[in-house]
């Protein structure tokens, strides 16, 4: 009797097998929670705690950073931010980057990837050349762009003059600054996207293209009926990543415009983005509660975008 | 449509994949392109399809020289080794895809949706996948995918159907079933078909004619009977048949083939001198005066494969399953002369 009991005790498993919805068996063990504890602790400390603090700050009417004390509780910071024309300028600029600059980047990157993929010689060389900007820091590239766009010494104006177009104040003219920022953003986003598109293209079975030729599909039809649908998971993944990335545009603004305008994003804040607005409110204007309110609004928009993306991907992306 | 290739050659840099081949693929027949791996079968097929360019020579469809035509102009159907279906399209879309790129010969305009659907359903019936047309290729078994690939190749009513080892991804049983299917589909559609395979049994069982290649050179073109019973050289004799033919080096004279060790096998021929003699396993039968000692017995059910030494050569023979023999036993055999062939000792050419 005694023996049987000990044997049983030894056999008592430390885990359970659980059947998942797809029929596979998974191990369930209480130890799992212990394993993720360190990661959870870090997440709580550096993500969740600041988030709660930002939320708290955003609802103060007045807040003093040094002492971490606030007075009055309510929506007034949000109302102030929503009435601030600079905030709306930041929204408009961010939207321009998202709705105009990003699609242009995607099309150029896709075109470049298709070209590189179709050449046989020097493919490795081009791949490396296109990838270089990605491993170079945005700030450094921004410095180079600063000189390219310089209104007196820049190559761009020099080139325009050559074509008979008068030199433009790319970095100081409030109407042009968003164009400059868009060009920089497009250029800066290309490398990474080309690389991902190339990887996606190389995954497509070459024989499918031979089959399409046998079936008499024109190059255009092959592109739209074969390549793009088969690339759609990659395209979608690139969109997902870059929408969030572009929405958070900050480095580009900082590198190109801030040196001309003290703390502001260029003349009259004309190149401001939402991320820069938050930064500017905090460090330059010292309005921590306004910065926090803007950050919360931004978070809500990002969550909405994510929800929309989930719905869209179910409809249009071919996962095969 | 008859397909001819004249002096067709393909070189990749220094390697010659296909070397000056001349073949006529007869109209409405199923021709097997057979040979060991790397002998240039796929390359030949792709040149006929137009996916590979010919280095030299001509490809002629009917009476037209199509050597430089683009693949889409040749009106061919091609089934790839791994099917190459469009994974994001349903079966219906897959099969309709070739039709969407062509004009209806009756009206001169694009196919109407209705006509297209009718054609797709008709061909789906032929290959027996009509009840799964709304699925995607990923939801099919290998055999079903292969039928879809055949349907997609046949739907545009091609002049020539090309199949590149379409059965190599299937398990043994399904392969047997599908090869009969291919035969049936070919006979019903009556399309000139070229079937690439490295499996001699597969080639013999379904083709009207076999083209056997080695190192890019055609070895023999014949129907399956002829190829098996009348091989033109020792490579053909070795390639066809399982278990394979066995060889002994002999001196032929006066109605006998004499082995190195003096052993005499009866063999009547006009030829006199040294030769490499090929003996088909079924040439042997129990009851005779050729005494051998069995080294191995492999029971296969309907018959048994036995091995023994003849001189320094290992010989394999197929014996009636009812003969109860064991490994190590000494038995007397007789030899059926017409299943023995003499080849030139150096060149391997049939004597
Ligand atoms: N693109 C290529 N570049 C260089 N050599 C090639 C190329 N394609 C084929 N070859 C060579 O040509 C020869 C014939 O190749 P092929 O693919 O036609 O053989 P196969 O008879 O179809 O063989 P398998 O049964 O293995 O498919 C091989 O030696 C191969 O290495
Ligand atoms: Mg091959």
């Amino acid at each position: 009797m005694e023996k049987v009991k000990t044997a049983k005790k030894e056999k008592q498993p430390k885990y359970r097998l659980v059947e998942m919805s797809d029929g596979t068996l998974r191990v369930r063990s209480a130890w799992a929670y212990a394993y993720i504890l360190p990661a959870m602790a870090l997440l709580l400390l550096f993500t969740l705690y600041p988030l709660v603090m930002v939320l708290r700050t955003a609802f103060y009417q007045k807040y003093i950073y040094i002492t971490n004390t606030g007075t009055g509780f309510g929506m007034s910071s949000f109302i102030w931010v929503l009435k601030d024309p600079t905030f709306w300028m930041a929204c408009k600029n961010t939207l321009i980057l998202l709705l105009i600059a990003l699609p242009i980047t995607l099309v150029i990157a896709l075109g470049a990837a298709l070209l590189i993929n179709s050449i046989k010689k020097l493919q490795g060389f081009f791949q490396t050349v296109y990838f270089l900007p990605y491993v170079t820091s945005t700030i450094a590239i921004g410095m180079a762009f600063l000189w390219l766009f310089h209104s007196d010494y820049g190559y761009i104006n020099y080139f325009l003059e050559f074509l008979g177009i008068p030199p433009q104040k790319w970095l100081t003219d409030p109407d042009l600054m968003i164009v400059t920022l868009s060009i920089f953003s497009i250029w800066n986003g290309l490398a990474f996207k080309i690389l991902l598109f190339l990887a996606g293209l190389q995954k497509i079975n070459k024989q499918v293209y031979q089959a399409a030729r046998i079936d008499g599909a024109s190059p255009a039809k092959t592109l739209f009926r074969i390549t793009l649908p088969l690339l759609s998971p990659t395209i979608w993944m690139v969109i997902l990543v870059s929408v969030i990335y572009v929405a958070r545009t900050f480095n580009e603004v900082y590198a190109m415009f801030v040196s001309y305008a003290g703390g502001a994003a260029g003349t009259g804040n004309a190149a401001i983005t939402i991320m820069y607005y938050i930064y500017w409110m905090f460090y330059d204007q010292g309005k921590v509660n306004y910065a926090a309110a803007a950050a919360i609004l931004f978070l809500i928009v990002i969550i909405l975008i994510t929800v929309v993306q989930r719905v869209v991907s179910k409809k249009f992306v071919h996962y095969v | 449509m008859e397909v001819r290739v004249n002096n067709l050659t393909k070189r990749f840099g220094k390697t010659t994949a296909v070397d000056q081949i001349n073949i006529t693929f007869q109209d409405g027949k199923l021709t097997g392109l057979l040979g060991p791996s790397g002998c240039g079968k796929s390359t030949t097929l792709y040149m006929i399809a137009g996916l590979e360019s010919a280095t030299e020579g001509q490809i002629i469809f009917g009476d037209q020289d199509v050597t430089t035509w683009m693949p889409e102009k040749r009106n061919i159907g091609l089934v790839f080794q791994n099917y190459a279906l469009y994974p994001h399209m349903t079966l219906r879309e897959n099969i309709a895809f070739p039709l969407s790129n062509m004009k209806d010969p009756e009206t001169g305009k694009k196919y109407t949706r209705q006509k297209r659907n009718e054609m797709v359903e008709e061909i789906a019936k032929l290959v027996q996948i009509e009840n799964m047309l709304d699925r995607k290729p990923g939801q099919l078994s290998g055999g079903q995918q292969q039928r879809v690939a055949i349907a997609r190749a046949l739907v545009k009513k091609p002049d020539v159907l090309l199949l590149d080892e379409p059965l190599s991804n299937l398990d043994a049983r399904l392969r047997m079933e599908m090869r009969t299917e291919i035969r049936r589909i070919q006979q019903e559609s009556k399309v000139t078909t070229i079937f690439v395979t490295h499996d001699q049994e597969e080639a013999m069982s379904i083709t009207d004619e076999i083209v056997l290649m080695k190192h890019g050179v055609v070895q023999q073109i014949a129907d399956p009977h002829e190829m098996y019973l009348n091989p033109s050289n020792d490579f053909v004799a070795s390639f066809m048949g399982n278990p394979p033919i066995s060889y002994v080096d002999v001196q032929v004279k006066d109605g006998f083939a004499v082995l190195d060790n003096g052993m005499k096998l009866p063999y009547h021929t006009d030829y006199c001198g040294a030769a490499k003699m090929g003996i088909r396993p079924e040439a042997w039968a129990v009851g005779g005066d050729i005494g051998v000692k069995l080294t191995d017995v492999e029971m296969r059910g309907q018959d048994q494969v036995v091995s023994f030494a003849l001189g320094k050569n290992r010989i394999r023979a197929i014996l009636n399953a009812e003969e109860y023999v064991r490994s190590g036993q000494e038995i007397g055999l007789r030899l059926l002369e017409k299943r023995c062939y003499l080849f030139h000792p150096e060149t391997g050419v049939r004597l």
Side-chain angles (χ1 to χ4, degrees), chain A residues 105 109 184-194 245 252:
Chain A
T105 323
F184 185 30
S185 168
I186 291 170
W187 193 87
N188 203 27
L190 277 180
F192 186 53
K193 296 180 185 62
I194 291 175
Y245 183 83
E252 286 86 343

Side-chain angles (χ1 to χ4, degrees), chain A residues 69-147:
Chain A
T69 50
T71 50
F73 220 72
M75 302 291 288
S76 70
S77 298
F78 289 95
I79 292 166
W80 191 92
V81 166
L82 287 172
K83 280 188 180 159
D84 181 9
T86 314
F87 177 73
W88 289 109
M89 185 140 68
C91 288
K92 191 183 112 198
N93 285 344
T94 308
L95 272 181
I96 290 175
L97 290 178
L98 276 176
L99 298 181
I100 301 174
L102 178 58
I104 295 175
T105 323
L106 289 170
V107 171
I108 297 177
L110 190 57
L114 286 169
L115 283 177
I116 296 175
N117 194 45
S118 66
I119 56 170
K120 298 205 172 67
K121 284 174 190 160
L122 294 177
Q123 192 169 9
F125 170 75
F126 280 107
Q127 234 160 315
T128 315
V129 166
Y130 277 94
F131 191 56
L132 276 179
Y134 183 67
V135 289
T136 317
S137 99
T138 305
I139 300 294
I141 294 171
M143 293 300 161
F145 263 69
L146 215 56
W147 281 107

Side-chain angles (χ1 to χ4, degrees), chain A residues 8-25:
Chain A
K8 229 183 181 178
K9 220 177 190 177
E10 272 171 14
K11 273 200 173 164
Q12 185 85 42
K14 289 228 166 50
Y15 54 85
R16 275 175 318 120
L17 285 176
V18 182
E19 193 172 338
M20 310 302 284
S21 57
D22 61 355
T24 56
L25 286 176

Side-chain angles (χ1 to χ4, degrees), chain B residues 12 15-18 35-44 52 81 164-165 196 198:
Chain B
F12 295 105
T15 45
T16 306
V18 175
S37 183
C39 74
K41 307 179 296 284
S42 299
T43 309
T44 306
E52 290 279 6
Q81 188 164 343
D164 187 7
E165 307 209 26
V196 165
H198 59 248

